[in-house]
Amino acid sequence: MTTFDETILDNLEIELPSWAFGNSGTRFKVFGTPGTPRTIHEKIADAAKVNELTGLAPSVALHIPWDTVDDYRVLGSYAADLGVRLGTINSNTFQDDDYKFGSLTHTDKTVRQKAIDHHLACIDVMGQTGSRDLKIWLADGTNYPGQGDIRGRQDRLAESLATIYQHIGDDQRLVLEYKFFEPATYVTDVPDWGTSYAHASALGERAMVCLDTGHHAPGTNIEFIVAQLLRLGKLGSFDFNSRFYADDDLIVGAADPFQLFRILFEVVRGGGLDTGSPVALMLDQCHNVEEKIPGQIRSVLNVQEMTARALLVDTDALTAAQEAGDVLGANAIMMDAFYTDVRPMLAQRRESRGLPADPMAAFATSGYAERIADERVGGTQSSWGA
Amino acid sequence: MTTFDETILDNLEIELPSWAFGNSGTRFKVFGTPGTPRTIHEKIADAAKVNELTGLAPSVALHIPWDTVDDYRVLGSYAADLGVRLGTINSNTFQDDDYKFGSLTHTDKTVRQKAIDHHLACIDVMGQTGSRDLKIWLADGTNYPGQGDIRGRQDRLAESLATIYQHIGDDQRLVLEYKFFEPATYVTDVPDWGTSYAHASALGERAMVCLDTGHHAPGTNIEFIVAQLLRLGKLGSFDFNSRFYADDDLIVGAADPFQLFRILFEVVRGGGLDTGSPVALMLDQCHNVEEKIPGQIRSVLNVQEMTARALLVDTDALTAAQEAGDVLGANAIMMDAFYTDVRPMLAQRRESRGLPADPMAAFATSGYAERIADERVGGTQSSWGA
Amino acid sequence: MTTFDETILDNLEIELPSWAFGNSGTRFKVFGTPGTPRTIHEKIADAAKVNELTGLAPSVALHIPWDTVDDYRVLGSYAADLGVRLGTINSNTFQDDDYKFGSLTHTDKTVRQKAIDHHLACIDVMGQTGSRDLKIWLADGTNYPGQGDIRGRQDRLAESLATIYQHIGDDQRLVLEYKFFEPATYVTDVPDWGTSYAHASALGERAMVCLDTGHHAPGTNIEFIVAQLLRLGKLGSFDFNSRFYADDDLIVGAADPFQLFRILFEVVRGGGLDTGSPVALMLDQCHNVEEKIPGQIRSVLNVQEMTARALLVDTDALTAAQEAGDVLGANAIMMDAFYTDVRPMLAQRRESRGLPADPMAAFATSGYAERIADERVGGTQSSWGA
Amino acid sequence: MTTFDETILDNLEIELPSWAFGNSGTRFKVFGTPGTPRTIHEKIADAAKVNELTGLAPSVALHIPWDTVDDYRVLGSYAADLGVRLGTINSNTFQDDDYKFGSLTHTDKTVRQKAIDHHLACIDVMGQTGSRDLKIWLADGTNYPGQGDIRGRQDRLAESLATIYQHIGDDQRLVLEYKFFEPATYVTDVPDWGTSYAHASALGERAMVCLDTGHHAPGTNIEFIVAQLLRLGKLGSFDFNSRFYADDDLIVGAADPFQLFRILFEVVRGGGLDTGSPVALMLDQCHNVEEKIPGQIRSVLNVQEMTARALLVDTDALTAAQEAGDVLGANAIMMDAFYTDVRPMLAQRRESRGLPADPMAAFATSGYAERIADERVGGTQSSWGA
């Protein structure tokens, strides 16, 4: 097997979203499961378990207000005791009745200010948690032609973002996520990378784009966007997941593993995994029918495995084939790396670092699932709504 | 203005879904509104109001168990007093924990039998309500490759449907709806018209296909499917709505009015609105951010207006242009009908039948919305979940 | 009928593409027709006929090298004599064997320079024709993963464009078109508005984006992009056409007239039809099976009719409804304008300006089609390849 | 490594299309290459080379009239001498001016009869070549709403097919291919598997469906259709290729290898590779920018490799996981097979059968490409048009 730069694999850190451990579902039904966390503390414990078994997930993203606590420093200590740290702060302006017709884009200045204030409160939390990134995903949009003024909504969005950005600290970043559609069904106010990029550019250096791998139109070449944003210096973070249809929020790499390979190849190509890279990797998934903790373990392993495959690409040979117009030769170099079974090598790598060779099996036999099912009785299981 | 067959406009009846009057939303948020019905009686009252103002919606579809009552004959009388009748019975096998991995397709015979029994109970209801149609929309499917055996699920589905079909009365029908995706994200067990048609054909003459206008892959030519199913004698009913992206469940005709025109042209072309036609027209929509009763009024008016436009097509001239290979001429005949403003004619038609010329305005000034907002206080507003 | 600003209708000018009058087709077959032009002069004559009958199409875009002549000033005089002028110059780097693996993005500096030189030659033509715009649509891209270096191709593209831009005169513009896919099947080097915008922004003030209405992913909200580019000051021009699936190049407004309405509403909303607006309107269509000259007449009429409908929107009432959260009311205001039959008013307007009330009928009875079929015998009919 | 049924790998035969060795391209440009065949004899020689190096491609499909010869028995002997046989006969009703508005669906009985006669001539060829399958792919369709009568076209299609079917011999089959769109841009007369299935069912037992893996709407679950058609006993053949956007005709497995794996898993699951299976495997690809012979070698190897992976799935364990509702476990069983590197095993298998371990390398060093480039000078290179 070709060898590759171990540094990049060493650098690999994938942030886990606290909400992945809570219940989620579709508009038709949310299924609950035994052991689902009731509190942010229990979510962090589950996330820490993922990190303990994989060594890949040293931080946990919070969602405000779902994960609101009185004292974030205490929460940070709790996390640290479990071997993880608090990461990105995600705002939420889509579950309050006031936001029915928009938040940062609303025609009513009062509602806009409320949404701005929520983000300022999130920045306060960041100060306490030591988080670098404020991630903004907006559900803002409209369902029917005429419902909103497309242009006016953009102008108000720009103004609201500018106000928030003024409060972003020197070591902090505002990361703006885009999404093709849902929940809005006609206009989404930040629907594509171009919009996110235009706003981030207007805001300044500490504003970046978040690329969620499930948030594109059918057929979109996502690795192209990755390469472009890296080139433009505006790729701030990934929300990893996968999809067959809409924003399915499936386990990253589950729907199209070759696409994940191509994406990670461009990340590596663009320096996105180099030491000091501005690119943060995060999961954003829903485990509607599968077990949640193993779902997260599987996900970070998928990213690691595909990164290893991407690193196996013989880039010198690839460049030579590209310059020679050898289409099949160049393609074969990519495929050769993709089809290489890196799992044994990674298992060995894990063991050499004191981690279980097979984290999935290790979790299954750990008794953790059974224990939390027994212990977490009563209370209200966490879900998107709480 | 060209004249057309008034009979077809006279025949036009569009069934309203009881659930359109309840709250609905996305996986992110369900917004409530004052006046939302708490009971099936209140839903029927709202539906009756739509019919009163439009003369187009003389029946109401029920959803079991959402609309379960002790005595359906009493409910029928209640409806009749309000000028409407009870229509299609819709089953529900997607909100019980047992159905997490399927209902009629489940590997566990006990679960399949439970789902079959639910449909038999629905047929019992039909006996009491005098409904003709049992409509089956299944949420059955899988989220991940390997999760289910695609072929085995089809075989079990066929067997379950056959058992249900044996209980369908001589004057009753089983109507099988298909949907491209959602809530399942990898395999949907009845994903396309071909599957619905293959099952309905295997079942027998009283099994038909339900075409929901929002349940297709991007770019699908829906009017082609309409024409094909009419030709094959298997178009049982429509679920009308519209969409920009996924199953948006918007007001029919809102997203692509020209598509609705083309669909209704094929319905007329295929005899689907002739006296005695087997094709039932129904709405299936969600009014997540707009008012619900006006949303239903707007919807039935859209169907009526577009039917009128479809009837305006000069079919003799069209045939002549088609046979002459006159592409632009043929297209112009279609467009001429589409661009004709039929609204004044329909307003006049309404008035001549003792209906308000402008049903939307009539509702707005009727005080009905204010009255139900005042009266319907307390209790639990109906929604998809109850 | 609501009245509206006549100035905007007066301002309406839609450039015709010379190649629309030549033969075109699919990879399967190109059908020829009697009367198809053999020369740029005959194409201009046909275009002039469209303008004569509609008053809407005073300029003709040229495609280099398809429309190459020895003396463009003479050609300009010829056009002027027919009542039209020469417009946008379109480059072509997709039909030379050297460009098999790219033009402005090619790894081989020699090929890149050849492609650059072609654009400089186009700028020379612009000097002779008095054209303002150099429009660049690139077929550059790759078919297989690995075939090209996505990032490297962007870097080379940026460099090539910068070189070309240096030669753009003070009163000239470089307009960069984007396209989702085709002919490339994996990576297209300018696939979306974001990429075109990023390059145009880097180039400078005289670089703009061209939005072809057929060049987007399925489901894309095009009017959003229109609004966004107008807001960013970078919408240089439209290539109008319509599509059901891919880049079908159908008559504008034929596939989704309501979409064209929404697009033109945003153009008006954003000042794109105001006097002095930088937005150029152009057709880019293929008349594969329909007659070409009537196809162009139909197209410019469609744009005019839909512009008139867009102007009918009661924007004050719309704003009020939007601010009141009246979704159905706002939507109704849009639909009311869309459903208004503006054709009689426009026919009257035409007559008052000495134009035929019905340009389609006028062409049909003009004898022009028969005359060119008789006259244009021998020679090689123009097509995309020549 | 898990062992598996060698018989299925032994059974694997993939038919090559004669036209894959000719030039092809897009509507923008067809690139020629040295060595491209000028005759069907040279195409067969190239196909035989693929079979010689892989042992996987013992037959060649012909396209009439592209591959018309005076004596097909002589051609058959020529092929036999090269170690291959003549296979499926493909008709062509899309390159004659008469078919501009349809062939088997045309309103003009004369044109329909001409198209029917062409198919009868193809059946005559089948008698001479000993071919089993007549494959019909129709370009029939319309570009604009109104251009054709959707329903009438179906009725005429049914009638034409019935006439052709009457001439299909007892040991022959009519295989009807469907395609989502292209070249038609509004209606395609056989757009989906449901239409192909409905016609094949109406025709009789020797009528089957051809599934081209590139002919579906975005997001379509192709393996579902495979499973369904196998269940219905109507899957006659595959046209293998792959796509990112439209009908890209890329090398099978190139765009989404995991999809190919899932498809082949369902083929195996449904008995499609069992001895005596009615399912024929064929390539249908265009090598627009890559070398053609290696392109075909790569393709058959991809099918073989993915079949081997599909055979590795531990179906007993899979069934157990499915019945236990173990979503992640079931998925892992699939992925484990997919991620297994079967290439060394297949190389060894080849060598044990006297084939080169690496057919791509063997071709590269064979001197064949250089030889045909030298020899095939003059004449007209074959392409889709000839």
Side-chain angles (χ1 to χ4, degrees), chain C residues 70-100:
Chain C
D70 289 336
D71 190 326
Y72 291 92
R73 286 187 178 80
V74 172
L75 188 70
S77 298
Y78 169 81
D81 289 346
L82 292 168
V84 295
R85 63 176 188 272
L86 304 179
T88 300
I89 300 301
N90 293 261
S91 62
N92 178 327
T93 58
F94 53 89
Q95 293 189 316
D96 189 298
D97 284 343
D98 281 344
Y99 299 136
K100 185 173 183 178

mmCIF file of all heavy atoms in Angstrom, chain C residues 70-100:
data_model
loop_
_atom_site.group_PDB
_atom_site.id
_atom_site.type_symbol
_atom_site.label_atom_id
_atom_site.label_comp_id
_atom_site.label_asym_id
_atom_site.label_seq_id
_atom_site.Cartn_x
_atom_site.Cartn_y
_atom_site.Cartn_z
ATOM 1 N N ASP C 70 -15.224 39.273 -43.796
ATOM 2 C CA ASP C 70 -13.995 40.032 -44.009
ATOM 3 C C ASP C 70 -14.112 41.436 -43.422
ATOM 4 O O ASP C 70 -13.173 41.957 -42.845
ATOM 5 C CB ASP C 70 -13.699 40.130 -45.513
ATOM 6 C CG ASP C 70 -13.261 38.788 -46.074
ATOM 7 O OD1 ASP C 70 -12.766 37.948 -45.287
ATOM 8 O OD2 ASP C 70 -13.431 38.571 -47.283
ATOM 9 N N ASP C 71 -15.274 42.029 -43.590
ATOM 10 C CA ASP C 71 -15.405 43.429 -43.178
ATOM 11 C C ASP C 71 -16.693 43.598 -42.367
ATOM 12 O O ASP C 71 -17.801 43.574 -42.902
ATOM 13 C CB ASP C 71 -15.426 44.328 -44.419
ATOM 14 C CG ASP C 71 -15.325 45.804 -44.051
ATOM 15 O OD1 ASP C 71 -15.869 46.191 -42.990
ATOM 16 O OD2 ASP C 71 -14.716 46.557 -44.822
ATOM 17 N N TYR C 72 -16.513 43.773 -41.067
ATOM 18 C CA TYR C 72 -17.684 43.874 -40.191
ATOM 19 C C TYR C 72 -18.396 45.220 -40.325
ATOM 20 O O TYR C 72 -19.563 45.340 -40.026
ATOM 21 C CB TYR C 72 -17.284 43.609 -38.736
ATOM 22 C CG TYR C 72 -16.901 42.163 -38.531
ATOM 23 C CD1 TYR C 72 -15.573 41.747 -38.650
ATOM 24 C CD2 TYR C 72 -17.874 41.204 -38.251
ATOM 25 C CE1 TYR C 72 -15.220 40.417 -38.489
ATOM 26 C CE2 TYR C 72 -17.532 39.869 -38.091
ATOM 27 C CZ TYR C 72 -16.210 39.485 -38.211
ATOM 28 O OH TYR C 72 -15.872 38.169 -38.061
ATOM 29 N N ARG C 73 -17.647 46.227 -40.802
ATOM 30 C CA ARG C 73 -18.304 47.525 -40.985
ATOM 31 C C ARG C 73 -19.309 47.442 -42.136
ATOM 32 O O ARG C 73 -20.412 47.971 -42.053
ATOM 33 C CB ARG C 73 -17.266 48.619 -41.216
ATOM 34 C CG ARG C 73 -16.539 48.985 -39.924
ATOM 35 C CD ARG C 73 -15.621 50.182 -40.053
ATOM 36 N NE ARG C 73 -15.005 50.468 -38.761
ATOM 37 C CZ ARG C 73 -13.954 49.806 -38.258
ATOM 38 N NH1 ARG C 73 -13.384 48.838 -38.967
ATOM 39 N NH2 ARG C 73 -13.468 50.124 -37.070
ATOM 40 N N VAL C 74 -18.897 46.733 -43.162
ATOM 41 C CA VAL C 74 -19.823 46.516 -44.282
ATOM 42 C C VAL C 74 -21.037 45.722 -43.812
ATOM 43 O O VAL C 74 -22.181 46.021 -44.145
ATOM 44 C CB VAL C 74 -19.110 45.781 -45.440
ATOM 45 C CG1 VAL C 74 -20.108 45.367 -46.520
ATOM 46 C CG2 VAL C 74 -18.019 46.676 -46.034
ATOM 47 N N LEU C 75 -20.760 44.713 -42.979
ATOM 48 C CA LEU C 75 -21.860 43.906 -42.458
ATOM 49 C C LEU C 75 -22.795 44.767 -41.603
ATOM 50 O O LEU C 75 -24.024 44.637 -41.658
ATOM 51 C CB LEU C 75 -21.321 42.730 -41.622
ATOM 52 C CG LEU C 75 -22.361 41.706 -41.179
ATOM 53 C CD1 LEU C 75 -22.867 40.900 -42.383
ATOM 54 C CD2 LEU C 75 -21.796 40.768 -40.112
ATOM 55 N N GLY C 76 -22.180 45.664 -40.845
ATOM 56 C CA GLY C 76 -22.985 46.569 -40.008
ATOM 57 C C GLY C 76 -23.887 47.451 -40.862
ATOM 58 O O GLY C 76 -25.045 47.683 -40.504
ATOM 59 N N SER C 77 -23.338 47.921 -41.956
ATOM 60 C CA SER C 77 -24.151 48.757 -42.858
ATOM 61 C C SER C 77 -25.290 47.952 -43.457
ATOM 62 O O SER C 77 -26.428 48.433 -43.576
ATOM 63 C CB SER C 77 -23.285 49.298 -43.994
ATOM 64 O OG SER C 77 -22.276 50.116 -43.472
ATOM 65 N N TYR C 78 -24.962 46.717 -43.825
ATOM 66 C CA TYR C 78 -25.992 45.832 -44.367
ATOM 67 C C TYR C 78 -27.123 45.670 -43.364
ATOM 68 O O TYR C 78 -28.310 45.762 -43.706
ATOM 69 C CB TYR C 78 -25.356 44.473 -44.705
ATOM 70 C CG TYR C 78 -26.335 43.379 -45.026
ATOM 71 C CD1 TYR C 78 -26.909 43.265 -46.296
ATOM 72 C CD2 TYR C 78 -26.699 42.442 -44.057
ATOM 73 C CE1 TYR C 78 -27.812 42.254 -46.588
ATOM 74 C CE2 TYR C 78 -27.590 41.418 -44.336
ATOM 75 C CZ TYR C 78 -28.150 41.331 -45.605
ATOM 76 O OH TYR C 78 -29.039 40.345 -45.896
ATOM 77 N N ALA C 79 -26.752 45.438 -42.112
ATOM 78 C CA ALA C 79 -27.753 45.280 -41.060
ATOM 79 C C ALA C 79 -28.559 46.562 -40.879
ATOM 80 O O ALA C 79 -29.793 46.540 -40.791
ATOM 81 C CB ALA C 79 -27.076 44.884 -39.741
ATOM 82 N N ALA C 80 -27.851 47.658 -40.848
ATOM 83 C CA ALA C 80 -28.525 48.948 -40.641
ATOM 84 C C ALA C 80 -29.553 49.206 -41.739
ATOM 85 O O ALA C 80 -30.641 49.730 -41.474
ATOM 86 C CB ALA C 80 -27.493 50.077 -40.594
ATOM 87 N N ASP C 81 -29.186 48.836 -42.945
ATOM 88 C CA ASP C 81 -30.129 49.007 -44.055
ATOM 89 C C ASP C 81 -31.409 48.210 -43.820
ATOM 90 O O ASP C 81 -32.482 48.573 -44.313
ATOM 91 C CB ASP C 81 -29.497 48.559 -45.379
ATOM 92 C CG ASP C 81 -28.426 49.532 -45.840
ATOM 93 O OD1 ASP C 81 -28.372 50.657 -45.286
ATOM 94 O OD2 ASP C 81 -27.643 49.173 -46.742
ATOM 95 N N LEU C 82 -31.274 47.102 -43.088
ATOM 96 C CA LEU C 82 -32.440 46.269 -42.799
ATOM 97 C C LEU C 82 -33.101 46.670 -41.487
ATOM 98 O O LEU C 82 -34.046 46.025 -41.031
ATOM 99 C CB LEU C 82 -32.025 44.793 -42.748
ATOM 100 C CG LEU C 82 -31.601 44.198 -44.104
ATOM 101 C CD1 LEU C 82 -30.938 42.834 -43.900
ATOM 102 C CD2 LEU C 82 -32.812 44.070 -45.032
ATOM 103 N N GLY C 83 -32.576 47.717 -40.867
ATOM 104 C CA GLY C 83 -33.235 48.225 -39.662
ATOM 105 C C GLY C 83 -32.736 47.627 -38.361
ATOM 106 O O GLY C 83 -33.344 47.843 -37.309
ATOM 107 N N VAL C 84 -31.669 46.874 -38.421
ATOM 108 C CA VAL C 84 -31.133 46.312 -37.179
ATOM 109 C C VAL C 84 -29.647 46.654 -37.037
ATOM 110 O O VAL C 84 -29.021 47.141 -37.963
ATOM 111 C CB VAL C 84 -31.314 44.768 -37.123
ATOM 112 C CG1 VAL C 84 -32.805 44.401 -37.069
ATOM 113 C CG2 VAL C 84 -30.642 44.094 -38.320
ATOM 114 N N ARG C 85 -29.108 46.379 -35.862
ATOM 115 C CA ARG C 85 -27.684 46.628 -35.647
ATOM 116 C C ARG C 85 -27.015 45.346 -35.155
ATOM 117 O O ARG C 85 -27.689 44.406 -34.720
ATOM 118 C CB ARG C 85 -27.485 47.766 -34.633
ATOM 119 C CG ARG C 85 -28.005 47.480 -33.252
ATOM 120 C CD ARG C 85 -27.705 48.610 -32.243
ATOM 121 N NE ARG C 85 -28.081 48.166 -30.914
ATOM 122 C CZ ARG C 85 -29.300 48.297 -30.394
ATOM 123 N NH1 ARG C 85 -30.267 48.899 -31.068
ATOM 124 N NH2 ARG C 85 -29.558 47.827 -29.179
ATOM 125 N N LEU C 86 -25.710 45.319 -35.216
ATOM 126 C CA LEU C 86 -24.963 44.156 -34.721
ATOM 127 C C LEU C 86 -24.769 44.293 -33.213
ATOM 128 O O LEU C 86 -24.494 45.398 -32.726
ATOM 129 C CB LEU C 86 -23.622 44.052 -35.439
ATOM 130 C CG LEU C 86 -23.744 43.991 -36.971
ATOM 131 C CD1 LEU C 86 -22.354 43.909 -37.606
ATOM 132 C CD2 LEU C 86 -24.615 42.834 -37.417
ATOM 133 N N GLY C 87 -24.927 43.209 -32.516
ATOM 134 C CA GLY C 87 -24.894 43.283 -31.057
ATOM 135 C C GLY C 87 -23.751 42.493 -30.443
ATOM 136 O O GLY C 87 -22.594 42.580 -30.894
ATOM 137 N N THR C 88 -24.075 41.714 -29.465
ATOM 138 C CA THR C 88 -23.094 40.972 -28.681
ATOM 139 C C THR C 88 -22.253 40.042 -29.556
ATOM 140 O O THR C 88 -22.767 39.399 -30.464
ATOM 141 C CB THR C 88 -23.830 40.128 -27.628
ATOM 142 O OG1 THR C 88 -24.569 41.012 -26.783
ATOM 143 C CG2 THR C 88 -22.884 39.298 -26.795
ATOM 144 N N ILE C 89 -20.972 39.990 -29.255
ATOM 145 C CA ILE C 89 -20.086 39.041 -29.932
ATOM 146 C C ILE C 89 -19.887 37.834 -29.019
ATOM 147 O O ILE C 89 -19.472 37.966 -27.863
ATOM 148 C CB ILE C 89 -18.721 39.702 -30.245
ATOM 149 C CG1 ILE C 89 -18.922 40.927 -31.154
ATOM 150 C CG2 ILE C 89 -17.769 38.691 -30.886
ATOM 151 C CD1 ILE C 89 -19.587 40.645 -32.491
ATOM 152 N N ASN C 90 -20.211 36.663 -29.550
ATOM 153 C CA ASN C 90 -20.070 35.420 -28.803
ATOM 154 C C ASN C 90 -18.868 34.645 -29.308
ATOM 155 O O ASN C 90 -18.758 34.366 -30.500
ATOM 156 C CB ASN C 90 -21.328 34.555 -28.992
ATOM 157 C CG ASN C 90 -22.553 35.187 -28.355
ATOM 158 O OD1 ASN C 90 -22.946 34.824 -27.261
ATOM 159 N ND2 ASN C 90 -23.152 36.164 -29.046
ATOM 160 N N SER C 91 -18.013 34.284 -28.394
ATOM 161 C CA SER C 91 -16.829 33.514 -28.786
ATOM 162 C C SER C 91 -17.165 32.028 -28.835
ATOM 163 O O SER C 91 -18.209 31.587 -28.376
ATOM 164 C CB SER C 91 -15.709 33.750 -27.773
ATOM 165 O OG SER C 91 -16.111 33.285 -26.495
ATOM 166 N N ASN C 92 -16.259 31.267 -29.409
ATOM 167 C CA ASN C 92 -16.462 29.827 -29.562
ATOM 168 C C ASN C 92 -15.128 29.110 -29.397
ATOM 169 O O ASN C 92 -14.247 29.197 -30.250
ATOM 170 C CB ASN C 92 -17.053 29.535 -30.959
ATOM 171 C CG ASN C 92 -17.246 28.056 -31.205
ATOM 172 O OD1 ASN C 92 -16.481 27.231 -30.724
ATOM 173 N ND2 ASN C 92 -18.278 27.718 -31.965
ATOM 174 N N THR C 93 -15.022 28.395 -28.303
ATOM 175 C CA THR C 93 -13.799 27.594 -28.097
ATOM 176 C C THR C 93 -14.163 26.130 -27.859
ATOM 177 O O THR C 93 -13.535 25.439 -27.079
ATOM 178 C CB THR C 93 -12.981 28.115 -26.890
ATOM 179 O OG1 THR C 93 -13.819 28.073 -25.737
ATOM 180 C CG2 THR C 93 -12.479 29.521 -27.127
ATOM 181 N N PHE C 94 -15.197 25.690 -28.560
ATOM 182 C CA PHE C 94 -15.630 24.307 -28.320
ATOM 183 C C PHE C 94 -15.711 23.463 -29.585
ATOM 184 O O PHE C 94 -16.178 22.342 -29.544
ATOM 185 C CB PHE C 94 -16.966 24.271 -27.577
ATOM 186 C CG PHE C 94 -18.073 25.072 -28.213
ATOM 187 C CD1 PHE C 94 -18.918 24.505 -29.164
ATOM 188 C CD2 PHE C 94 -18.302 26.386 -27.848
ATOM 189 C CE1 PHE C 94 -19.958 25.225 -29.731
ATOM 190 C CE2 PHE C 94 -19.340 27.127 -28.409
ATOM 191 C CZ PHE C 94 -20.161 26.543 -29.361
ATOM 192 N N GLN C 95 -15.251 23.998 -30.710
ATOM 193 C CA GLN C 95 -15.370 23.186 -31.919
ATOM 194 C C GLN C 95 -14.061 22.976 -32.639
ATOM 195 O O GLN C 95 -14.025 22.607 -33.808
ATOM 196 C CB GLN C 95 -16.426 23.802 -32.852
ATOM 197 C CG GLN C 95 -17.816 23.688 -32.231
ATOM 198 C CD GLN C 95 -18.903 24.082 -33.171
ATOM 199 O OE1 GLN C 95 -18.787 25.077 -33.865
ATOM 200 N NE2 GLN C 95 -19.986 23.310 -33.198
ATOM 201 N N ASP C 96 -13.008 23.212 -31.922
ATOM 202 C CA ASP C 96 -11.687 22.979 -32.498
ATOM 203 C C ASP C 96 -11.083 21.787 -31.760
ATOM 204 O O ASP C 96 -11.217 21.662 -30.538
ATOM 205 C CB ASP C 96 -10.837 24.245 -32.293
ATOM 206 C CG ASP C 96 -9.529 24.185 -33.041
ATOM 207 O OD1 ASP C 96 -8.723 23.265 -32.735
ATOM 208 O OD2 ASP C 96 -9.291 25.038 -33.910
ATOM 209 N N ASP C 97 -10.420 20.921 -32.503
ATOM 210 C CA ASP C 97 -9.852 19.719 -31.868
ATOM 211 C C ASP C 97 -8.907 20.052 -30.718
ATOM 212 O O ASP C 97 -8.784 19.286 -29.771
ATOM 213 C CB ASP C 97 -9.122 18.875 -32.926
ATOM 214 C CG ASP C 97 -10.106 18.117 -33.820
ATOM 215 O OD1 ASP C 97 -11.286 17.990 -33.420
ATOM 216 O OD2 ASP C 97 -9.700 17.660 -34.893
ATOM 217 N N ASP C 98 -8.250 21.195 -30.817
ATOM 218 C CA ASP C 98 -7.323 21.577 -29.745
ATOM 219 C C ASP C 98 -8.016 21.729 -28.393
ATOM 220 O O ASP C 98 -7.373 21.662 -27.348
ATOM 221 C CB ASP C 98 -6.660 22.927 -30.086
ATOM 222 C CG ASP C 98 -5.531 22.757 -31.089
ATOM 223 O OD1 ASP C 98 -5.081 21.611 -31.276
ATOM 224 O OD2 ASP C 98 -5.112 23.766 -31.676
ATOM 225 N N TYR C 99 -9.318 21.986 -28.441
ATOM 226 C CA TYR C 99 -10.029 22.277 -27.192
ATOM 227 C C TYR C 99 -10.681 21.047 -26.574
ATOM 228 O O TYR C 99 -11.535 21.151 -25.699
ATOM 229 C CB TYR C 99 -11.094 23.360 -27.436
ATOM 230 C CG TYR C 99 -10.525 24.677 -27.929
ATOM 231 C CD1 TYR C 99 -11.129 25.375 -28.975
ATOM 232 C CD2 TYR C 99 -9.385 25.235 -27.339
ATOM 233 C CE1 TYR C 99 -10.619 26.591 -29.425
ATOM 234 C CE2 TYR C 99 -8.866 26.448 -27.794
ATOM 235 C CZ TYR C 99 -9.486 27.118 -28.833
ATOM 236 O OH TYR C 99 -8.974 28.312 -29.266
ATOM 237 N N LYS C 100 -10.271 19.883 -27.020
ATOM 238 C CA LYS C 100 -10.888 18.648 -26.510
ATOM 239 C C LYS C 100 -10.831 18.576 -24.981
ATOM 240 O O LYS C 100 -11.753 18.090 -24.338
ATOM 241 C CB LYS C 100 -10.157 17.435 -27.113
ATOM 242 C CG LYS C 100 -10.774 16.096 -26.770
ATOM 243 C CD LYS C 100 -10.078 14.968 -27.544
ATOM 244 C CE LYS C 100 -10.726 13.616 -27.289
ATOM 245 N NZ LYS C 100 -10.067 12.542 -28.075
#
